[in-house]
Amino acid sequence: AAGTGLISAITRAVSVPVVGIGGIRHHNAGDVMFAGASGIGVIGAILDAVDHGAASGRLAESLGITVSEVLGDSEGRIRP
């Protein structure tokens, strides 16, 4: 894992958005964003979980947002 130090270095060196991918979980998602990433890409954090909805919720909560703000409507349903 490259870590947040590399994210910080890259965001200082380039003028394009940087997205953190790989190894992102609810406990480090905020750190990646704080390091300067414009966004994060997660796969394992959700697909490895038994309850994908709960895993999505933990990720969103760790970033101070709700799943419905990202994916769904006011009822939390995923948009088509």
Side-chain angles (χ1 to χ4, degrees), residues 1-55:
T4 55
L6 183 58
I7 295 280
S8 293
I10 291 170
T11 58
R12 286 191 308 271
V14 300
S15 60
V16 296
V18 174
V19 177
I21 60 171
I24 311 280
R25 304 287 177 173
H26 74 277
H27 63 352
N28 64 357
D31 295 336
V32 174
M33 295 297 292
F34 186 75
S38 298
I40 57 172
V42 294
I43 296 174
I46 295 172
L47 294 182
D48 292 346
V50 173
D51 184 337
H52 301 154

Side-chain angles (χ1 to χ4, degrees), residues 26 52-63 65-67:
H26 74 277
H52 301 154
S56 298
R58 282 190 299 276
L59 276 162
E61 185 179 295
S62 74
L63 296 171
I65 57 176
T66 66
V67 172

